[in-house]
Amino acid sequence: MAHQSVDSGSGASPLGLMKQMAGRRIEDERRRIGVSQRRLALRAGFSVSWVREIESGNPKVRIDDHLRCFEALDISQSYILIPMIFNAGGRFFPPQLLVGDIRHMEARLLDFLVEENLTYIRTLLDASRATSASQSEGDGRSGGGGELHRTQIDDTESDRP
């Protein structure tokens, strides 16, 4: 990778820093695979001068434009998403985390998100069944169960980590 650091001067916003990192990633990948700025401009639907602006990290460039370049170069969009998640969580993002192809990290992250949400849904369903069973015993009814009532969801959501 040609660029190792991102200017983190005191005046730079987190979004501006992310655009600098994304622009450098675009330029590095474009050069690595031997694509000219002109060819990238054609693939992404931009002018060559706009590709230069994107690669330079110009803060006026929209994130959508970075994403179009990522798509044209087959770069994972996680190079933008992961720094944004760090920022949203109030954490410093070390750019060294995104060296190389990070598709394996994406797959693990997606597996984790799916598993966490399935665990949460199972917890909601188990709580709903337990509540339904206790209500059925209390009023002499049996069966049913499994229905998830809005009040039960609200009570359980407050327990979610």
Side-chain angles (χ1 to χ4, degrees), residues 80-139:
I80 290 178
L81 177 63
I82 292 172
M84 291 176 78
I85 292 171
F86 269 75
N87 183 55
R91 295 182 175 194
F92 168 75
F93 176 75
Q96 298 81 1
L97 289 179
L98 298 181
V99 174
D101 187 2
I102 61 168
R103 293 177 202 277
H104 67 282
M105 186 187 330
E106 283 178 350
R108 290 181 66 196
L109 178 60
L110 291 174
D111 290 344
F112 172 77
L113 291 172
V114 168
E115 187 57 38
E116 282 294 306
N117 281 307
L118 288 175
T119 299
Y120 176 63
I121 290 168
R122 286 184 196 113
T123 302
L124 288 176
L125 290 173
D126 289 346
S128 173
R129 289 181 185 128
T131 302
S132 293
S134 67
Q135 287 175 348
S136 294
E137 290 172 8
D139 64 10

Side-chain angles (χ1 to χ4, degrees), residues 9-148:
S10 60
S13 71
L15 185 58
L17 291 173
M18 189 276 309
K19 288 179 179 181
Q20 286 179 5
M21 287 190 309
R24 289 181 179 163
R25 178 69 182 137
I26 290 165
E27 181 181 8
D28 289 344
E29 183 65 13
R30 178 184 60 73
R31 288 175 186 258
R32 187 186 72 76
I33 63 175
V35 172
S36 68
Q37 285 181 330
R38 182 177 178 275
R39 184 74 186 138
L40 175 56
L42 288 171
R43 286 183 186 176
F46 298 126
S47 67
V48 174
S49 63
W50 195 242
V51 167
R52 284 189 198 112
E53 293 297 320
I54 293 168
E55 289 183 351
S56 74
N58 183 332
K60 294 179 182 178
V61 174
R62 297 177 339 156
I63 295 297
D64 294 2
D65 295 345
H66 286 88
L67 294 174
R68 284 173 58 186
C69 287
F70 275 42
E71 186 175 326
L73 295 169
D74 193 32
I75 300 172
S76 168
Q77 294 181 1
S78 291
Y79 284 98
I80 290 178
L81 177 63
I82 292 172
M84 291 176 78
I85 292 171
F86 269 75
N87 183 55
R91 295 182 175 194
F92 168 75
F93 176 75
Q96 298 81 1
L97 289 179
L98 298 181
V99 174
D101 187 2
I102 61 168
R103 293 177 202 277
H104 67 282
M105 186 187 330
E106 283 178 350
R108 290 181 66 196
L109 178 60
L110 291 174
D111 290 344
F112 172 77
L113 291 172
V114 168
E115 187 57 38
E116 282 294 306
N117 281 307
L118 288 175
T119 299
Y120 176 63
I121 290 168
R122 286 184 196 113
T123 302
L124 288 176
L125 290 173
D126 289 346
S128 173
R129 289 181 185 128
T131 302
S132 293
S134 67
Q135 287 175 348
S136 294
E137 290 172 8
D139 64 10
R141 290 184 293 156
S142 64
E147 293 178 8
L148 197 56

